[in-house]
Every structure is written in C-alpha cells, then in structure tokens.
Amino acid sequence: MSSNDYTPLWQELGLDLDNHAGLLGVLSDAYRGIYLAQANRPRGMAYFDFVISEVHGLRIKEIYEAKRAGRKVVGGFCVYVPEEVVLAADGICIGLCAGAEVGTAEAERFIPRNSCALIKAFMGFKLAGLCPYVELTDLIVGETTCDGKKKAYEIFDELTGKVHVMELPHMKGPAGKRLWLGEVARFRETMEKLTGAPLTLEGLRHGVAVVNAKRRALQRLSRLREADPAPLSGLDALLVNQVSFYDDPVRFTAKTNELCDELEERVAAGVGVTAKGAPRLLVSGSPMAIPNWKVHAIVEGSGGVVVGEESCIGERNFRDLADEDFVTVEEGLMKIAERSLTIDCACFTPNDERPGNIAALCERLRADGIIHYALQFCTPYLVEAYKVETSLAGVPFLRIETDYSMEDFGQLKTRLEAFIEMLR
Ligand code: SF4
Ligand code: SF4
C-alpha cells in the first residue's frame, strides 16, 4: 500500500514476508473498493487514508525509532487498559486487536474452533507472523473481561513472553471498585519497572490531558453525526475511531479536530454524504477492529447511513472523560480507575447502564433503528442482546451474529436491506 519499501524493517521484526505481502494486498484492495469508492468524502479524510496506507509502514517506523530512543511500547486489547498511565510513563500505547480472518488455521492449533473471531485473529496474526505492532511491543496488557480472552492470554504469554494481565472485576460494587483500583496501581508498578523511573504527578496530568483531548475530539465527531443529512459516512467515522487506537494521540486529535471543522461547515451548508431523510442506523455491540468494515459497507451500500457506534470502537471509548482535578499520583490513578468503571461492557453483571445509554444515544443521533452486532461465540454480547432489545421496545431492532469471514455477506446483505427498507 505504501510507496516506500519497508521490507528490511519487516524482516528485522521477524515478519513472514510472503504472508505479510498477501495481507497488505488484500487490505489495499478492500480499502480501494470500500473506502476510496465512496462519493462526496470530506477533504479531511485524506489524512486517515494516508494513515491506513502506512499502517504497517510509516507508523511502524515511527514507533521503531521511538523505541530506539528509549520509549517503551505497550499493546492492549481493551479500553479498560489505562492509556493515561502508559503516556504518563512516556510510553506509546497501541491497540492490538485485529479485525480480519487471518492465521485461523495456526490459531486453531492453540484455541478451539468455536472461539470468537477477535481472539482467533489476534492469535492468528501473531502465529502467521503478520503483526509488526505485536513484535514492537515491550509489554502486552490483557484483561479478564471474558473467559476466551483470559485463557488465550495464557497461551499468548507463552508465545510472546510479555503479557501482563489486569484483573477486571465483573461487578461494580465496592469490592469490585477496590479490586480495579488495586489493579491500576499494580499496572503503575509494572510500568515503573519497565521504564526504570517513578511515575510523576506531572506525567500523569499530561497523560490524562492528552487522552481526554483525544476523547473530546471523538465526542465532537460523534455530535456532528447528529445532523441530517449526515456530514460523514459511518464507514469514515468508523475508520477515524479505529485509527484512534494506532496513531500518535496528539497528532490524531489535531487531525480529527480539523476534520470536525470541515464537517461543521458541511452541516451549516446542509451538505451530506447521503440525501436528507436516508434511514439512520445505530450499530451496537462488539467492537470492530481494522479492517472489519463489513456491516457498515453493507448498510451504506443499501441506502442507509450509520450515524453511531455503541461500541468500544466508538462511544464506549470516549463517552466519559477522566477527572483532571487531582493533586497526587494516587488520586490521579483513582480518577482513571473510576472513569474506566463507567464503561458499560457486557462482561459486567448486572450491566444496567448499557440499555439506558443506548436509548439516550439513539435519541441524540435520531437513529431510526438499531443493529445489534455480536461476534459469533461472544457470549457476553450475544446474551445481553435480549436485555437491550426488550428495554428498547418500540425501536426497530435487528440482531446480527457474524464473524470476520465474507461467507455470510450475501445473507447479511439480504437481511440488512430488508431492515432498511422497513425503516423508510
Ligand atoms: S467490549 Fe468489553 S472487553 Fe471488548 S474492548 Fe470493550 S470493554 Fe474491552
Ligand atoms: S468479542 Fe466477545 S468473546 Fe470475543 S474477546 Fe470480546 S468479549 Fe470476548
């Protein structure tokens, strides 16, 4: 995808060059067919197109050079991993979830066939020698959100030797809060060991400010999607949210705000990516890592527009900010821990906040219907769909259960087209 030759770097990182070339070829074709073929895109998306074209190129080189200059690289799989603490230690934090069906056969040597696509993909990318990000990490942070991930991290640690697991409680009562606060403090110690330097108050304030600024930019983008006609496609918004897990956070925030400036002009002028009145959909459920663009592509190819993602690649990642008002490192860590416990992941029981949050989001975005998206074998979201659907009685609701393959593309298209038709 990139015009530069990064082969020596990929070789040094130990990637399987043949597999890797195949992956980039597929990614590049998919991107051209899905993204670049869209009409009437804002100019500001050019930056995000560039990031994708360099996702295994310039960004890898940048991280590689930062690492040589002494900075530590931390990979994570979940929005509970406190990015603020990584930044406070002058580290680089990146999302490692992979959204493509790659390395499945290799992954199935270690984990059952009936594992969710996300777990299979992160195992598969590593085993097939495809992920330069995993190779660049000094530390990989797992969490006990679901049983599949929890057990897969044990194997991932055998394969990489650098996994640190944070124990996330599954209930948010006082005991759960104490446990999580202790885990955030333990993570601080791990970071201090990794960098050889104590975490400072100034560092933590900086970390919180940088991540909050990123969240504010993403909130702004989300609010602009309230307009009818929508000034930005759901595909493009999804991409911005996906890139937020890879890119340098300060640069990302500036570019997202630039995009928002342009979108504000579009909204004022009544310019949209679809005709006014196009059916507006909210996608809710499991996260969608790059390059999982299937559902958005089908919806927007069928005349609908996705106006929001109730997902960790979406609202759940930026809905709440951390309180920046703290005077000690310990207090700062507590504020970070408290913020992350506002996240309404389906791994919690009970998870009563989520249906209310979805209803509020649906109203704000003026969504006509909800697509509940869960990965096959993702028990938390598949089971919680019932509660979400029943609590939202009256809002048109479609449950989807899928994976990263293209096998069900035709069947999904038929169902989504019929749903969108019903909303017209
Ligand atoms: S859905 Fe839950 S487990 Fe997955 S990234 Fe979000 S918070 Fe973490
Ligand atoms: S998608 Fe579901 S099953 Fe898969 S890792 Fe996330 S929570 Fe676990």
Side-chain angles (χ1 to χ4, degrees), residues 213 216-217 220 252-262:
R216 274 194 204 96
R220 189 177 164 205
F252 172 86
T253 302
K255 292 294 177 184
T256 302
N257 277 321
E258 267 174 39
L259 173 68
C260 290
D261 292 342
E262 185 185 349

Side-chain angles (χ1 to χ4, degrees), residues 77-80 143 145 149 287 312 316 343 345-347 381:
F77 295 94
C78 174
V79 294
Y80 284 103
E143 16 56 50
T145 40
K149 268 187 177 173
C312 286
R316 240 180 275 133
I343 298 168
C345 174
C347 67
Y381 283 96

Side-chain angles (χ1 to χ4, degrees), residues 87-123:
L87 298 186
D90 195 29
I92 296 174
C93 190
I94 36 183
L96 293 179
C97 277
E101 193 182 42
V102 178
T104 308
E106 288 90 337
E108 286 176 2
R109 282 175 28 227
F110 294 87
I111 53 171
R113 282 190 69 186
N114 296 356
S115 303
C116 86
L118 188 148
I119 296 175
K120 265 195 206 169
F122 80 68
M123 296 285 290

Side-chain angles (χ1 to χ4, degrees), residues 159-371:
L159 297 170
T160 62
K162 48 190 173 185
V163 175
H164 168 100
V165 174
M166 296 179 76
E167 185 177 354
L168 188 81
H170 287 174
M171 293 177 96
K172 291 183 181 173
K177 284 186 182 158
R178 271 197 304 278
L179 171 63
W180 184 238
L181 188 56
E183 285 298 283
V184 173
R186 193 169 65 85
F187 180 58
R188 166 217 186 153
E189 285 167 18
T190 302
M191 284 306 300
E192 287 179 335
K193 251 184 235 145
L194 190 66
T195 59
L199 210 71
T200 63
L201 178 61
E202 197 194 356
L204 202 57
R205 283 200 169 130
H206 169 75
V208 172
V210 168
V211 184
N212 272 352
K214 177 163 77 167
R215 292 188 188 117
R216 274 194 204 96
L218 289 166
Q219 287 175 351
R220 189 177 164 205
L221 186 75
S222 168
R223 282 195 303 272
L224 283 158
R225 296 169 78 189
E226 292 167 15
D228 183 20
L232 182 74
S233 68
L235 271 166
D236 280 340
L238 175 66
L239 187 74
V240 174
N241 278 292
Q242 289 173 332
V243 167
S244 74
F245 289 88
Y246 295 85
D247 202 3
D248 172 80
V250 175
R251 180 176 59 206
F252 172 86
T253 302
K255 292 294 177 184
T256 302
N257 277 321
E258 267 174 39
L259 173 68
C260 290
D261 292 342
E262 185 185 349
L263 296 182
E264 269 169 16
E265 287 167 22
R266 281 191 164 208
V267 171
V271 175
V273 285
T274 53
K276 199 172 163 61
R280 301 165 66 84
L281 281 311
L282 173 65
V283 176
S284 168
S286 309
M288 296 168 167
I290 291 178
N292 181 2
W293 304 312
K294 186 164 68 174
V295 169
H296 285 56
I298 296 176
V299 168
E300 301 197 332
S302 311
V305 60
V306 177
V307 291
E309 291 79 27
E310 187 274 329
S311 156
C312 286
I313 299 204
E315 294 290 324
R316 240 180 275 133
N317 182 33
F318 55 76
R319 188 186 56 224
D320 298 302
L321 302 179
D323 185 353
E324 295 185 28
D325 184 17
F326 52 86
V327 292
T328 62
V329 170
E330 288 67 27
E331 197 190 359
L333 294 174
M334 192 182 72
K335 299 284 168 84
I336 291 167
E338 280 171 350
R339 186 214 79 96
S340 52
L341 283 180
T342 64
I343 298 168
D344 50 359
C345 174
C347 67
F348 279 95
T349 186
N351 190 29
D352 294 332
E353 310 101 289
R354 186 164 165 240
N357 286 334
I358 296 175
L361 188 61
C362 198
E363 201 181 320
R364 173 167 73 73
L365 295 169
R366 289 181 282 164
D368 300 308
I370 295 181
I371 297 169

